[in-house]
Each structure stands twice: as C-alpha cells, then as structure tokens.
Amino acid sequence: MQKIRNIAIIAHVDHGKTTLVDKILHSCSIFRDNETAGELILDNNDLERERGITIVSKNVSVKYKDVKINIIDTPGHADFGGEVERVLKMADGVLLLCDAFEGAMPQTRFVTQKALALGLKPIVVVNKVDKENCRPEEVYEQIFELFFNLEATEEQLDFPVIYGSSKQGWMNTDWKVQTDNIFPLMDAILENIPPAPIQEGTLQMQITSLDYSSFVGRIAIGRVARGTIKENMPVSLVKRDGKIVKSRIKELYTFEGLGKVKVSEVSSGDICAVVGIDGFDIGDTIADFENPEQLEVISIDEPTMNMLFTINNSPFFGKEGKFVTSQRLRERLYKELEKNLALRVVETDLPDAYLVYGRGILHLSVLIETMRREGYEMQVGQPQVIIKTIDGVKCEPIETLIVDVPGEVSGKVIELVTQRKGELLIMEPKGDLQHLEFEIPARGIIGLRNNVLTATAGEAIMAHRFKAYEPWKGTIPGRLNGVLISMDKGMTTAYAIDKLQDRGRFFVDPGVDIYEGQILGEHIRDNDLVINITKGKQLTNMRASGTDDNTRIAPAIKFSLEECMEYIQADEYIEVTPASIRLRKIYLTEQERKVKGKSLVGQ
C-alpha cells in the first residue's frame, strides 16, 4: 500500500474551501516559524483575491503521519464548473464542505453529482458551526437526502461527518465540543479516503491541467494512472482525436507543500508535473512509446451563453490600451482555449469580431477582466443565451434559481422573477429567512440580480444552476428605462449635469472626456434621450447678486463589469480598456441609429 491520498475539496462558493486549505497547510507545518504566509494562500491571482472566489483549481500537498496528501482546491461557482469536472479525475475522494446555516446550495449539488458519478468516496465537512442560528443536524439530513437523490452507492451514503469552523481552526466529530486543532479531519481523511491505487503495466497519464513557466514553457499536470513515468523517457502523446505524437520527457516534478520538487520518476497514483512535451491539450494521454493506450477523454458540459468580442472602434481607440488590433485579440482568445475547457471561440462574417461561448456572465467577465489587465482594448456586445432546436422544437436553457430573503420582501422577489417567466416551485422558512426556489429561463437571470438587490435593500442571497434545455418560454421584458446619450464630444461640466439631473441618473462625473454616442446615464422614461453635458456656463462681466446657484450633483452610478453586461441591450456595446469601462451605442450618430437601429431592436 503506498502512502498517498488524493482528495479534492468541493463546495458552493463562499463556504470556506480555501480557508480550510490554509488551516491544513498551517497545521501540517508547511511554513517556517518566521515565515508569514497570510490568508487565502491559494487564491494567488489578483482577481481571485479581490472577488474572494477561486477561479482556477490549485494543487498542493502536505505530509501527515508519514502519508502524503495531495489536495486539489476547486472553484465553487457554477460558471467555473469546467475546472471542477476535469480536476476530479485526479482524486480518489472528496471533502464536501457545507455551510452550517445555508446547507446544500445549487452548486453543491452540481459538483457532488460529478464526484459521485466518478465513484469518489466523500467526507462531509459541516463548516461555520460558530455562526449564529446555524443548524448542523438539519444540514446533515439535507446532505444525506441530496446524496440519496443523486443515486449514491451504499458505500457513498455511509459517509463520515466532521463539524467545525475552518476560520477558527478546529474540527471535531461532535459540533458541540470545540477542539483546538483540525486533526480529527486529517485522521478522517486517512481512515476513509482509499490510498491511491498502484497499477502495474505500461504508462498511462491523462493531462488534466496545465501550468506555464517563462523558462520552460507549458507544463502538463496530471495523475499517473498506470505504470511509472521517468525523466528522459520517450513517450507517445495521444491527442483527443486519437492522433499519436512521439515525444520525450525532459523533467518531472511532484507537488510538495505550495511548490514543486524535481524527481527522477513518479509511480502510479501520484500527481506530477511534466516538462518537455510540446503541443499538448487538456484531456490528452501521455502513454507508452511503443504501445500507446488512450484514457477516456474528459467530457465537459456545453456552454449556455455567448457574447460578441470585437476590436475597439470608438473615438478613444488606442488611447489607453497596449493591444488593440484584431490579430492580437484573436491570438489571445485562442490562447485562452488551451486551458479554459468550457470556452468556445467562433469566427464571424466580420474580420475583426468573434463569438465567445461560455458558461455564464461570471465566466465571460473574468476572461474580459483578465484581458483588460493584460493591456487589451476591445468592445463586447450583449450576452445572448444559446438557443437549440430539439425534435423540431425551439428550446432554451432553463436554470434553477434559489433566493434566500427576509420574509417581508419575498413578495417583491417573486414578482420580479415571475415577470421574467420564472415559476415558483418551493417557498419555505429557513432560519429567519424565506427560502424561494424557481425555474427560470437563463435569459431571465441576465439583469435580474441588480433588480432583486435593489428591491431587497441588498439582503437577498442568490444562486443558480443550469437545469436543462426546455421549450422556449416566450418574450421577456428587457430594461425598463431608456438611456441618456451624448450629443457631442468634449469634457463633461458640473453645470450641464446639474441642469439635466431631473432627466435621469448619470454614470459619469464632471470633468470626464466623452464622445458622441456614449451612454451617460439612465433616462427616467422608457425612451432614449440625446443630451449635451459639455456645455459650460456663459460668463459675462455683468453679475447680479444672489443668482449664482451652487451646483449640487448626485454621485455618479459606477457599474462593475458584470453589471454592465447585464445592463446593456442589443444595440449597445461595452467599451473595455485597461483604464476604463464605458457604455456606448453601436451606432454613434443619431442619424445612423434612426436608419440602422430599427433592425437591431427587432432582434
């Protein structure tokens, strides 16, 4: 029996996966006494830290009682399900983390279903039992019911449960008894997760993720399924389509702590990083040189949404970005396909526009935000759901939407969701909140979050999960209000904004450069209004006392990238540059909008 355990940590977003990994790393003495490691060690890129979510899965390993435990931290958000699906192939068991108050959320169901289908052994960790009005016993019952509904085997249904608080750094089998360490969890991993199996025979290793180093280029990461992989060994790379490419391994690394350690060989069951193989993709198999055998290719769920990406052609083109040409945009999008399995890129009839397919608003917005920080300038159109024809019937993606809100505002939420063709399935109390479950077209969720948060004074907790393709539900009303559009190019003035405040709410501050056709704010009515906010005050040498009013301007509304994506309509673009995010009409002049706009509105 070899002393290796491979576990993946899965949970709904914000239930404490990365914090738990922090505590495991600290308790297994990965760091020197004088080393400050900080918090959320694995969320190591800026976007992950800012948003407090995991976007890319990470591998680390710890030593506990002479056993090497490889830990895979996975994203919790449904939009990054593609990440979870492929890295579960490296694990023999999973830690399913659940919030002691919220219980099993939609994303928990999604990843648990994938893990159970692969036959992985689960350990359930009920986290955050230090929270007020938490309900650990109810959550345990809820998870047992979830496993049963997902057709878990007898062995999987007999799962161990550990209670605790990863933030406070303790775990125990009894939630009422607080300990001072997380060793009960580590012991449960050694007792319940099967050791990584040793399989004799010719080499088989599937590439399930990749890394990049500026010194050696692309690095393949995966688990050795059979045989032994050695340094300088000649191998065959079996592509997804069955094509075989001969290659040679230059260097091998295994994971130790937060880093990698160079080794000469790795036997089956361990996770390793391979340097020296060119032209590989995720899902390819590294196999024996003479008798290559392919492992089953990773299947990833289809995307449900697409967006048009095009070069920036606004009057401010090239002022703020480093990469602005269609060639650069195309290269970057195709490079993203190498590691982002749930993404698709399709060329359009236009030479400088691409349709990018993804899992949802967050999936696409993280790509846009990453490109923006790398210095790219571009424009993106309104997100569109993917429509399919199944047995001659027009079908669209339907999502399960779960909203937890204070009881007194639940009526407003139900009204907002049903306006968008949502159907209320379940309404029940959950602690001091009302728990609502709906089925709603994916189109209806775009732009819903802002309205729900406004109606509930920010107290709603929303989560959704793709359910299935079902027949088209009919038209859904779009944005209720029109927009305020700039008539002129120039700099905004406080005087002009002040005079037009009764026409709507502004998205721009005084002293900002704007151009004709840019969207400056939201109109109070349902039609678009063209305005001029570059007008200054006419100054003369004649002054009458008491006629100079001080300008009082309401603060401008600042949208995040996701809010912009949910806000815009079919005839509008978001202009994204490293320094700013602007909303604009596709056709900048009023004349063009009158001639060409009619065809867009009908879409």
Side-chain angles (χ1 to χ4, degrees):
M1 297 282 278
Q2 62 178 354
K3 296 188 170 182
I4 295 176
R5 304 283 191 280
N6 298 317
I7 57 162
I9 298 191
I10 57 175
H12 185 80
V13 64
D14 213 23
H15 279 197
K17 291 181 300 303
T18 308
T19 308
L20 178 62
V21 178
D22 282 2
K23 291 295 182 275
I24 292 174
L25 291 172
H26 282 292
S27 62
C28 293
S29 311
I30 289 294
F31 307 105
R32 298 189 309 276
D33 294 341
N34 62 347
E35 193 175 2
T36 53
E39 290 186 339
L40 301 176
I41 303 154
L42 291 195
D43 283 352
N44 52 11
N45 76 29
D46 294 344
L47 259 180
E48 290 183 317
R49 285 189 166 275
E50 282 168 29
R51 290 164 183 255
I53 59 172
T54 304
I55 295 170
V56 183
S57 60
K58 320 281 189 322
N59 296 52
V60 291
S61 82
V62 295
K63 271 269 173 63
Y64 180 70
K65 293 186 176 174
D66 281 343
V67 177
K68 180 183 180 183
I69 301 174
N70 285 315
I71 302 169
I72 307 154
D73 184 22
T74 64
H77 205 285
D79 283 20
F80 307 110
E83 282 281 317
V84 182
E85 287 166 44
R86 61 188 170 83
V87 297
L88 286 179
K89 287 263 184 143
M90 294 196 276
D92 296 306
V94 290
L95 287 188
L96 172 60
L97 211 66
C98 231
D99 186 301
F101 172 69
E102 291 183 358
M105 297 287 277
Q107 183 58 25
T108 320
R109 184 188 179 94
F110 170 81
V111 284
T112 308
Q113 189 172 8
K114 300 281 177 198
L116 294 178
L118 287 169
L120 303 181
K121 173 79 178 158
I123 293 178
V124 172
V125 181
V126 179
N127 193 21
K128 304 189 184 183
V129 295
D130 53 322
K131 257 186 167 181
E132 284 179 34
N133 61 26
C134 65
R135 39 195 198 112
E137 279 104 349
E138 278 178 56
V139 169
Y140 169 73
E141 295 294 333
Q142 204 181 0
I143 292 172
F144 185 86
E145 201 174 308
L146 172 69
F147 276 40
F148 184 76
N149 293 340
L150 293 176
E151 298 173 1
T153 62
E154 288 286 327
E155 193 191 355
Q156 286 172 331
L157 280 172
D158 186 22
F159 55 83
V161 185
I162 304 287
Y163 300 94
S165 162
S166 47
K167 192 166 189 180
Q168 293 181 357
W170 67 272
M171 291 282 157
N172 203 354
T173 46
D174 181 356
W175 70 277
K176 291 170 185 155
V177 181
Q178 184 170 338
T179 60
D180 57 359
N181 58 48
I182 62 162
F183 295 138
L185 171 64
M186 306 304 288
D187 293 330
I189 290 172
L190 298 193
E191 285 165 31
N192 296 285
I193 302 293
I198 298 175
Q199 288 201 8
E200 299 296 335
T202 55
L203 171 66
Q204 271 189 319
M205 169 182 158
Q206 188 160 45
I207 300 168
T208 43
S209 98
L210 55 87
D211 201 353
Y212 183 80
S213 150
S214 49
F215 297 107
V216 295
R218 294 168 74 223
I219 302 168
I221 297 172
R223 172 181 163 175
V224 183
R226 191 175 74 190
T228 304
I229 188 166
K230 298 177 181 171
E231 209 174 17
N232 277 330
M233 180 182 187
V235 291
S236 299
L237 179 70
V238 186
K239 306 289 288 175
R240 291 174 80 101
D241 56 6
K243 195 174 142 205
I244 296 171
V245 183
K246 301 297 183 186
S247 191
R248 183 179 288 274
I249 286 158
K250 286 183 187 160
E251 292 175 351
L252 275 178
Y253 295 86
T254 56
F255 292 89
E256 192 166 299
L258 292 171
K260 299 188 188 83
V261 180
K262 191 174 177 187
V263 290
S264 57
E265 65 174 63
V266 178
S267 55
S268 66
D270 206 352
I271 295 170
C272 67
V274 179
V275 174
I277 292 177
D278 293 325
F280 65 83
D281 292 304
I282 289 170
D284 293 352
T285 305
I286 298 174
D288 185 59
F289 186 75
E290 286 166 3
N291 304 312
E293 290 176 56
Q294 186 174 15
L295 284 162
E296 187 188 341
V297 177
I298 301 169
S299 63
I300 296 286
D301 288 355
E302 290 293 306
T304 56
M305 194 171 277
N306 67 26
M307 280 181 85
L308 187 77
F309 279 54
T310 178
I311 58 166
N312 186 9
N313 61 2
S314 83
F316 292 168
F317 154 79
K319 282 189 176 179
E320 295 166 351
K322 203 164 40 169
F323 309 119
V324 295
T325 62
S326 59
Q327 178 65 24
R328 287 288 201 163
L329 179 65
R330 183 180 189 282
E331 280 172 12
R332 180 64 182 82
L333 289 174
Y334 278 95
K335 187 179 168 207
E336 186 68 24
L337 290 180
E338 290 177 1
K339 60 177 188 293
N340 201 330
L341 284 198
L343 208 70
R344 307 268 185 284
V345 177
V346 176
E347 308 216 357
T348 63
D349 303 338
L350 302 167
D352 50 14
Y354 304 91
L355 270 179
V356 178
Y357 291 76
R359 279 281 181 85
I361 295 266
L362 188 65
H363 187 204
L364 292 165
S365 79
V366 163
L367 168 63
I368 296 167
E369 184 65 39
T370 307
M371 288 172 67
R372 175 187 169 205
R373 290 178 185 213
E374 289 169 6
Y376 286 84
E377 224 179 76
M378 65 200 143
Q379 294 180 145
V380 293
Q382 185 189 25
Q384 306 281 349
V385 298
I386 297 166
I387 309 299
K388 289 183 179 176
T389 305
I390 302 169
D391 300 331
V393 179
K394 181 182 179 184
C395 293
E396 64 174 332
I398 302 293
E399 306 243 346
T400 302
L401 171 70
I402 292 182
V403 189
D404 291 332
V405 288
E408 62 273 12
V409 288
S410 59
K412 290 180 185 172
V413 175
I414 294 169
E415 185 185 349
L416 283 168
V417 178
T418 47
Q419 276 172 1
R420 292 165 170 261
K421 300 280 190 272
E423 288 176 37
L424 181 64
L425 303 176
I426 296 172
M427 182 174 181
E428 59 190 17
K430 178 177 170 184
D432 53 356
L433 297 176
Q434 200 71 27
H435 176 78
L436 309 172
E437 280 190 32
F438 302 91
E439 274 184 12
I440 180 172
R443 294 175 295 142
I445 289 181
I446 300 172
L448 179 67
R449 184 178 295 272
N450 279 348
N451 297 350
V452 167
L453 290 176
T454 306
T456 60
E459 290 200 42
I461 303 165
M462 281 177 70
H464 56 89
R465 180 187 91 246
F466 172 69
K467 177 178 173 261
Y469 270 87
E470 289 181 11
W472 179 263
K473 302 280 188 203
T475 53
I476 291 175
R479 191 174 64 206
L480 301 175
N481 295 44
V483 288
L484 303 173
I485 306 165
S486 171
M487 175 192 290
D488 216 345
K489 187 178 177 182
M491 189 179 277
T492 58
T493 64
Y495 172 77
I497 292 176
D498 182 40
K499 295 296 178 213
L500 288 164
Q501 280 192 113
D502 57 341
R503 295 307 181 111
R505 306 181 305 162
F506 282 92
F507 304 155
V508 289
D509 290 311
V512 176
D513 279 325
I514 57 167
Y515 53 81
E516 184 182 3
Q518 187 176 331
I519 294 172
L520 306 173
E522 184 174 78
H523 192 198
I524 52 170
R525 302 222 169 108
D526 59 0
N527 62 316
D528 292 350
L529 182 69
V530 180
I531 57 168
N532 180 3
I533 59 167
T534 60
K535 238 180 357 190
K537 186 173 185 181
Q538 294 301 315
L539 297 179
T540 64
N541 56 1
M542 298 287 287
R543 281 284 164 86
S545 63
T547 56
D548 274 9
D549 286 339
N550 290 330
T551 55
R552 291 188 190 87
I553 299 173
I557 297 167
K558 299 293 181 200
F559 282 154
S560 69
L561 183 56
E562 281 106 77
E563 286 168 339
C564 287
M565 288 161 71
E566 294 190 341
Y567 186 78
I568 61 169
Q569 298 296 296
D571 63 337
E572 295 162 3
Y573 275 156
I574 308 167
E575 180 189 347
V576 182
T577 73
S580 28
I581 296 174
R582 302 183 188 92
L583 301 180
R584 55 160 286 186
K585 288 288 182 183
I586 293 178
Y587 300 111
L588 296 178
T589 66
E590 199 172 357
Q591 185 62 33
E592 266 187 312
R593 286 196 295 276
K594 280 180 179 163
V595 174
K596 296 175 178 171
K598 287 174 186 167
S599 61
L600 278 171
V601 175
Q603 284 182 10

